[in-house]
Amino acid sequence: MNQKTQNAMWGGRFASGPDAIMEAINASIGFDKRLYAQDIEGSRAHAAMLASAGIISDSDAQAIREGLLTVLSEIEAGEFPFSPALEDIHMNIEARLKDIIGEPAGRLHTARSRNDQVALDFRMWVREQADAAVGGLRALIRALLAQAEAGADWVMPGFTHLQTAQPVTWGHHMMAYVEMFGRDIGRFQDARARMNEYPLGAAALAGTSFPIDREMTAHALGFDRPAANSLDAVADRDFALEFLSAATICAMHLSRFAEELVIWSSAQFRFVALSDRFSTGSSIMPQKKNPDAAELIRAKIGRILGATVGLFTVMKGLPLAYSKDMQEDKEQVFDAADNLMLALAAMEGMVSDMTANREALRLAAASGFSTATDLADWLVRELGLPFRDAHHVTGTLVALAEKRGCDLPDLDLDEMKSVHAGITDAVFDVLGVENSVASRTSYGGTAPENVRAQIARWKEKLP
């Protein structure tokens, strides 16, 4: 594209084109070409509406819509000549449309601006990414449900401060992440519902004097309603910020789970074995099997949170309506969406492939005095001790067992009676880890029957 053609796109305001530095800082085609499908879909709907409202002729609208399909096919075939001199995806497509159909191409931009056009394209793209994230989360939840169902009654240690706390079940632990990722689905769905307002028709900022039908185009493009305020329609990037916020929380959940997989797959824990598909070896240590996929997922929160902070920083001081700063809204959202989907797919693959070591889980659950709380509860329930007194008695018994180098169930009855004379041999019924988890039947507790009920509930609610 020569300078004369580029200037013609702008009209007569500028006598000469921008120099190389201005062109480089001003152009966004290097990244916003990713919006080509949304730009073409929105333009086709806009042209149909202009014709329906009598603003352009049916023949011009038909030529525009067919020409845009030609542009689409060229882009998808890798044959489209993107030009930085034309700045962005909108002007690149319009210029190529003019090459294809001639003068009618100039009528396409009637009753719109690049301000509301990019707001539409970007909103449509983010809407699709929210849907994709929900799909990825549902796949991950299904993999977690399969793990939970297989190990609904497998005992393992539950931790606080990464110290053994109380026995739980493998299924219960998997279902904790089902709940987390289920909330993530809700966040993406909530954000999608709010972003589903149609901005085109706001034009540059004040609306248009042409008799457009915004309801028609909103409906054609799957929006619930037109945006009610033209200033807000072009200035709003809440939809991107909400998407990034939901993505950040989701990435944080993925990172927490990834951290557990890194720990659990270590030789010191041996709780799980990750498949070769999601592990790597060492260049120098032949025995190593590194959980690289989990570690990379753990790191994704950094760039996704960074994108969120970046866009908040761009938007925080902008007056209404549009400022060129807002061109800096896309790259970080594109990057965050790409990395979230990659992390979700990798985690779903790891969860589907991993094998839990039931024996190692059971042995770990039985160590570290994990049934101490069960003992304290028994003292309250059976002997009527105040809980604080039961806590003290139990602590004394733990110290005794620790001195002997054994666990609570290995103390004999006389040793227990030496601490509290009321203890009977019935106490041993609650000191086994299987008995402990089976007793936790309160709603939300770790008892296998609870876990199976929650699995059934999620299977029913998950599309």
Side-chain angles (χ1 to χ4, degrees), residues 349-426:
M350 276 196 299
V351 172
S352 297
D353 286 1
M354 74 181 179
T355 303
N357 184 338
R358 184 176 183 178
E359 182 60 18
L361 292 169
R362 188 191 67 77
L363 288 173
S367 67
F369 311 108
S370 65
T371 56
T373 303
D374 296 277
L375 173 57
D377 288 347
W378 184 88
L379 292 169
V380 171
R381 189 171 56 250
E382 300 299 326
L383 303 187
L385 270 65
F387 184 80
R388 288 301 170 198
D389 293 347
H391 188 283
H392 177 76
V393 170
T394 301
T396 304
L397 288 169
V398 166
L400 178 61
E402 197 168 34
K403 183 178 180 180
R404 277 199 49 201
C406 66
D407 213 330
L408 285 172
D410 301 315
L411 294 174
D412 61 39
L413 184 59
D414 289 338
E415 288 174 308
M416 290 193 176
K417 282 181 171 291
S418 71
V419 176
H420 192 284
I423 297 176
T424 69
D425 59 4

